[in-house]
Amino acid sequence: MKKLNQEMNDLFHRSMDSHLRLAVTGLSRAGKTAFITSLVNQLLHTSTHDNLPLFAAARDKRIIGARRVPQDNLMVPRFAYDEAMDSLNGSPTAWPEPTRDVSEIRLAIKFKRTKGARRLISKESTLYLDIVDYPGEWLLDLPLLSLSFEEWSAKQIELLKGDRKQYAQDWLQENESVDLMVEGNEKLLANVSARFTDYLHRCKEAGLHWVQPGRFVLPGELEGAPVLQFYPVDHSKQTYENADKHSGYSLLKQRYEEYKKNVVKAFYKQHFSTFDRQIILVDCLQPLNVGPEAFNDMKMAIDQLMDSFKYGKSNFLRRLFSPKIDRLLFAATKVDHVTPEQHTNLLSLLQQMVHPAWQHTSFEGIEMQCMGIASIKATDAGFVNSQDKSIPAIQGIKLDGNELTIYPGEVPRKLPQREFWEAFDGKPAFEFHSFLPKPNPSDEPCAHIRLDKALEFLIGDKV
């Protein structure tokens, strides 16, 4: 009888618990690993520190505590939280290693109930928060699901302008010697595919964001697999309607379709249909620093992603995955890398980028917000005197170990036009520097900017 009562009591308490799956995605170098590390770190410290004033449940002392618990999906690697904290607490400090594969971490957040009928039964509940992280490059594969091989090829060929065309020269030259109408030679196609992959890597290294297919630069367990050995074809130079099913062209097309079905679709079907909330992180500063081609490339990537994330009933994403996401947050990261009075400009710039899709998501009943955050602070803000003037500035340690005090420049409030890029006569219009994370005592939560505001939007209604 005692055992039965215990089982009934456990069942009762489990019925009071709730679950939430949060997807953390974003474009390359946006700081996904830093965001998840800080989010977990902040929640683990809620019972001992007051570091989240904009997170109502923590501010009002409703959160009793949080701890890490084993995740349900044992086939997904755990998020490397301990390793990330070791990097942040090292001497010198260092940023955690970036995402290279899907990973997951689960938190149990115990809190006091103050609303709803459940509080009449039990004053305490537990929210199980699953945080799923996956590379931003994989996010860019989502639009492929609505594109045929011919359509995808046309989009890729159209991109070969400016720096991209220069980066693609080795691939284009290698491709010239291939006759795709004859029987496919797997070794030859693998060589050309390798040159295409090199081109994508060069684009990424140069700060360009539209790198597709994403698995080509971050293959994970698929490295070396034939499903990653295809490349776009210029259909304007030759017609392939009569290509034999054993031809090189048909082989490329088959691999593209296989990639869509068994890599892109399978991944999103396994994970995306389970997400409740989503945050997409964007680094707007680095492209401003590089120039108009990098910035416009980032804008194009966001446009394509936002088109994919239209959750209407007729959208292919809805038909394929039936997502249940009801809150979507866009966050401009690294706001501590600009002076505080520029935070509103950075937020305005992000809002300009996502405005059309924002209207659509609101119509579909999905709550969406934009905000600027720094998951883990890297600088201090203040003022310096120059020619009898007080100028806002930030101070931090650069990646090379040298201290720097600087005013990076004014962030444009709206999408920059030609005049913005020409104003500095060929020099960068914005002087952005990367800084090391600030040293932080190991028993203290990470210093941040508005991560508590992000938590309030993402999980505040659940606690």
Side-chain angles (χ1 to χ4, degrees):
M1 180 63 70
K2 185 177 181 180
K3 183 179 179 181
L4 178 61
N5 289 338
Q6 182 62 46
E7 290 177 351
M8 292 295 292
N9 188 53
D10 292 343
L11 182 63
F12 167 76
H13 283 288
R14 283 198 298 271
S15 70
M16 302 301 297
D17 298 338
S18 55
H19 297 79
L20 191 71
R21 284 182 65 79
L22 171 64
V24 181
T25 58
L27 300 181
S28 179
R29 300 186 180 96
K32 296 179 294 298
T33 304
F35 174 84
I36 295 175
T37 301
S38 184
L39 184 148
V40 172
N41 181 259
Q42 304 301 332
L43 290 172
L44 292 178
H45 282 86
T46 49
S47 60
T48 56
H49 292 76
D50 298 322
N51 202 43
L52 302 170
L54 299 180
F55 184 32
R59 181 191 64 226
D60 300 339
K61 306 296 184 182
R62 295 201 307 273
I63 293 184
I64 299 169
R67 63 185 176 94
R68 288 184 287 169
V69 294
Q71 63 202 56
D72 275 355
N73 192 341
L74 302 183
M75 302 300 291
V76 175
R78 68 171 181 84
F79 176 78
Y81 173 75
D82 295 308
E83 293 81 350
M85 290 304 302
D86 287 343
S87 296
L88 294 172
N89 293 329
S91 182
T93 62
W95 292 107
E97 288 295 315
T99 300
R100 301 195 64 83
D101 207 332
V102 63
S103 63
E104 188 172 325
I105 189 169
R106 168 175 275 203
L107 295 179
I109 306 169
K110 185 177 289 188
F111 63 98
K112 301 173 185 177
R113 285 195 173 275
T114 59
K115 297 179 181 179
R118 287 186 178 185
R119 70 184 178 88
L120 301 175
I121 305 173
S122 175
K123 293 182 179 180
E124 295 181 3
S125 292
T126 300
L127 170 66
Y128 289 95
L129 178 63
D130 293 313
I131 306 166
V132 183
D133 174 32
Y134 59 91
E137 286 80 2
W138 296 4
L139 184 66
L140 294 176
D141 281 344
L142 194 54
L144 294 183
L145 297 176
S146 63
L147 297 175
S148 66
F149 179 64
E150 293 79 6
E151 292 169 333
W152 173 73
S153 291
K155 287 180 177 291
Q156 293 295 318
I157 299 299
E158 187 181 352
L159 288 175
L160 296 177
K161 303 171 185 175
D163 290 341
R164 280 184 178 271
K165 190 169 185 179
Q166 183 62 38
Y167 301 151
Q169 285 306 305
D170 290 345
W171 162 49
L172 294 175
Q173 290 175 10
E174 186 93 20
N175 191 33
E176 286 292 330
S177 61
V178 180
D179 184 356
L180 293 176
M181 293 298 286
V182 302
E183 185 172 353
N185 182 319
E186 288 200 70
K187 184 177 181 180
L188 186 60
L189 294 182
N191 288 337
V192 182
S193 297
R195 300 290 78 76
F196 175 66
T197 302
D198 291 341
Y199 152 68
L200 294 179
H201 276 290
R202 292 196 66 185
C203 290
K204 182 181 177 182
E205 291 164 5
L208 300 178
H209 287 83
W210 191 245
V211 179
Q212 192 187 67
R215 292 271 188 157
F216 280 44
V217 293
L218 281 178
E221 76 281 0
L222 294 176
E223 187 167 4
V227 74
L228 301 189
Q229 294 173 352
F230 63 88
Y231 53 88
V233 174
D234 190 348
H235 292 79
S236 67
K237 292 185 175 181
Q238 184 175 347
T239 178
Y240 296 95
E241 292 180 0
N242 299 320
D244 183 83
K245 66 178 181 178
H246 299 296
S247 67
Y249 177 80
S250 295
L251 195 58
L252 292 178
K253 189 172 181 178
Q254 289 165 13
R255 289 177 176 180
Y256 172 81
E257 294 298 335
E258 188 78 4
Y259 182 83
K260 283 171 55 178
K261 177 182 177 182
N262 290 326
V263 179
V264 183
K265 186 176 179 180
F267 174 78
Y268 280 93
K269 196 168 186 179
Q270 178 184 357
H271 294 284
F272 205 85
S273 61
T274 68
F275 295 150
D276 303 292
R277 305 281 163 86
Q278 177 151 303
I279 179 170
I280 299 178
L281 305 171
V282 182
D283 176 6
C284 300
L285 300 177
Q286 188 64 42
L288 280 176
N289 209 50
V290 176
E293 188 166 346
F295 187 86
N296 292 332
D297 188 84
M298 178 189 68
K299 175 65 168 61
M300 178 181 66
I302 291 177
D303 287 343
Q304 293 290 327
L305 292 178
M306 291 307 294
D307 188 60
S308 297
F309 285 120
K310 290 177 180 176
Y311 300 107
K313 294 180 181 178
S314 62
N315 181 259
F316 77 93
L317 189 64
R318 171 78 70 178
R319 296 197 303 269
L320 287 175
F321 309 126
S322 300
K324 54 181 181 178
I325 291 173
D326 58 3
R327 289 193 180 186
L328 176 63
L329 175 63
F330 266 87
T333 58
K334 306 177 185 178
V335 297
D336 61 326
H337 286 51
V338 297
T339 49
E341 85 284 352
Q342 295 300 316
H343 290 189
T344 55
N345 282 18
L346 184 59
L347 178 58
S348 176
L349 181 63
L350 178 63
Q351 289 171 335
Q352 286 271 314
M353 291 182 183
V354 303
H355 182 260
W358 196 337
Q359 292 177 319
H360 182 92
T361 54
S362 296
F363 181 80
E364 294 294 338
I366 299 167
E367 288 189 63
M368 177 173 161
Q369 278 193 20
C370 291
M371 63 182 65
I373 67 171
S375 304
I376 299 169
K377 284 187 66 177
T379 68
D380 291 312
F383 293 86
V384 295
N385 294 323
S386 177
Q387 298 178 349
D388 299 326
K389 292 183 179 180
S390 186
I391 300 174
I394 56 173
Q395 184 179 76
I397 305 298
K398 295 197 300 179
L399 299 185
D400 61 9
N402 293 316
E403 186 178 280
L404 177 67
T405 301
I406 189 173
Y407 172 66
E410 183 177 347
V411 179
R413 288 186 59 84
K414 297 184 180 297
L415 298 177
Q417 303 301 313
R418 185 180 63 182
E419 296 79 11
F420 174 84
W421 303 112
E422 293 177 346
F424 291 80
D425 193 25
K427 298 179 182 178
F430 185 84
E431 194 171 358
F432 171 81
H433 289 267
S434 295
F435 295 92
L436 293 172
K438 286 173 61 64
N440 202 70
S442 58
D443 59 344
E444 296 281 337
C446 298
H448 66 90
I449 297 176
R450 286 187 287 276
L451 192 72
D452 46 355
K453 186 177 180 181
L455 275 168
E456 178 64 24
F457 177 77
L458 292 169
I459 70 170
D461 62 317
K462 298 297 183 180
V463 291

